[in-house]
Amino acid sequence: MPELPEVLALSERLNDAIGHARLEGIDVLGFSGLKTVAPAPADLVGTVLERVSSRGKYLVFDFDVPARVLVHLGNSGRVDVECPPKSTRPRGSLTRLTLESSALLVREHGTERRAGLWVLGDGDAGPLATLGPDPFEPGFEELVLYGEDRRHLHGMLRDQRTVAGIGRGYADDSLHRAGLSPFASLSSLDESARSHLLASVRAVLNEAIDRERQRTGGLSAASLGDRFAVHRRAGMPCPQCARRLERVSYTSHEIVYCPRCQTKGRVLADRRMSRLLK
């Protein structure tokens, strides 16, 4: 899934490529992905795209009228930059924004349909209203350093209402960098561990942002490649200590960790088969 680093870097590339271009058409190719009724997408035709930015995992398109478009790429949504614009409709297509000399095609690989499109009027924040602070904002720092959240750290970091933009991949990598069990709670951490967690989250994300900024064009490939240190690497050597990375598997996802670096040598039980060992 594209997370904050991928979406942020993509928004920067799109802003450089199409910022200040006039919108000549917006075609909704997959109506199940359109999450709003009014304004209608056609109402924006003829306006100028002033800026492309991001908020968490959302691409934000601001126009020269009091309206904006949000795009969430779900688990496997991608963006193709078309120069010149095309009229084809590839499988999984969600929408095509046609501008003066190019177009953006938003589509979704695979069979899941979790990508979404919102057209928002003046004063309507849509799903952005429920997002927590950005990981680099003071609100997240205050939470980590002084909060008493009792949830598992992995779940807390992935909760978009708590902090915007972190998914399973960067949660795995951040907790590995911090040397913390994914099943520890924030409330159980001392001052040193909290500071290390905050620094680790931000360092992992900053490194990923720098890496993503080396991409060019859209975000087209079916797979975004091998961009994680431990996520999806269960069974491989830990990059820190070379011990085998383990995982806790759920029906739809898994959590990857290093027993030596994160759980004091303990191998945690697979949740599909038994309860978590403590």
Side-chain angles (χ1 to χ4, degrees), residues 16-269:
D16 289 342
I18 63 174
H20 305 292
R22 188 170 300 278
L23 183 68
E24 296 186 345
I26 178 166
D27 299 313
V28 178
L29 306 174
F31 285 94
S32 63
L34 180 61
K35 306 300 183 182
T36 51
V37 176
D43 293 346
L44 293 178
V45 173
T47 62
V48 173
L49 177 61
E50 290 195 326
R51 186 170 75 115
V52 184
S53 60
S54 66
R55 176 81 167 93
K57 300 180 185 181
Y58 291 87
L59 287 169
V60 182
F61 299 83
D62 284 301
F63 295 84
D64 64 348
V65 293
R68 56 174 35 176
V69 169
L70 305 183
V71 172
H72 192 287
L73 297 176
N75 284 343
S76 54
R78 299 293 183 265
V79 176
D80 299 332
V81 179
E82 301 175 339
C83 280
K86 300 178 181 178
S87 59
T88 57
R89 185 174 176 173
R91 184 175 181 181
S93 295
L94 173 63
T95 188
R96 177 180 279 114
L97 281 72
T98 303
L99 300 128
E100 294 169 85
S101 59
S102 62
L104 301 181
L105 175 67
V106 181
R107 58 193 177 93
E108 201 167 7
H109 292 280
T111 58
E112 292 187 344
R113 292 291 175 261
R114 297 189 179 183
L117 171 75
W118 289 256
V119 182
L120 304 177
D122 188 18
D124 185 0
L128 300 185
T130 65
L131 295 182
D134 181 283
F136 301 102
E137 291 179 345
F140 179 64
E141 181 173 343
E142 182 177 356
L143 168 68
V144 174
L145 296 183
Y146 307 110
E148 292 298 325
D149 199 301
R150 296 183 179 277
R151 291 174 293 172
H152 293 157
L153 289 174
H154 200 278
M156 185 196 80
L157 290 176
R158 291 188 294 110
D159 182 356
Q160 301 303 296
R161 297 164 297 181
T162 301
V163 54
I166 301 175
R168 296 165 189 161
Y170 293 115
D172 275 353
D173 280 16
S174 295
L175 292 171
H176 177 264
R177 177 79 63 94
L180 294 171
S181 169
F183 302 104
S185 66
L186 183 65
S187 61
S188 71
L189 302 184
D190 60 21
E191 182 178 346
S192 176
R194 288 168 179 258
S195 295
H196 193 38
L197 172 61
L198 177 65
S200 297
V201 169
R202 289 176 168 177
V204 164
L205 292 176
N206 271 323
E207 291 169 11
I209 290 168
D210 289 343
R211 187 169 58 247
E212 286 299 316
R213 283 174 172 157
Q214 299 175 25
R215 292 185 190 267
T216 58
L219 199 66
S220 302
S223 173
L224 292 179
D226 192 9
R227 65 198 198 277
F228 297 115
V230 301
H231 182 61
R232 294 182 178 173
R233 289 178 171 267
M236 300 179 67
C238 169
Q240 183 75 23
C241 72
R243 177 165 176 171
R244 171 190 166 98
L245 294 171
E246 302 291 344
R247 64 185 169 194
V248 176
S249 297
Y250 295 81
T251 302
S252 61
H253 69 282
E254 65 183 23
I255 295 173
V256 179
Y257 68 97
C258 172
R260 180 174 293 162
C261 296
Q262 296 177 254
T263 59
K264 299 180 180 180
R266 295 178 181 175
V267 176
L268 306 176

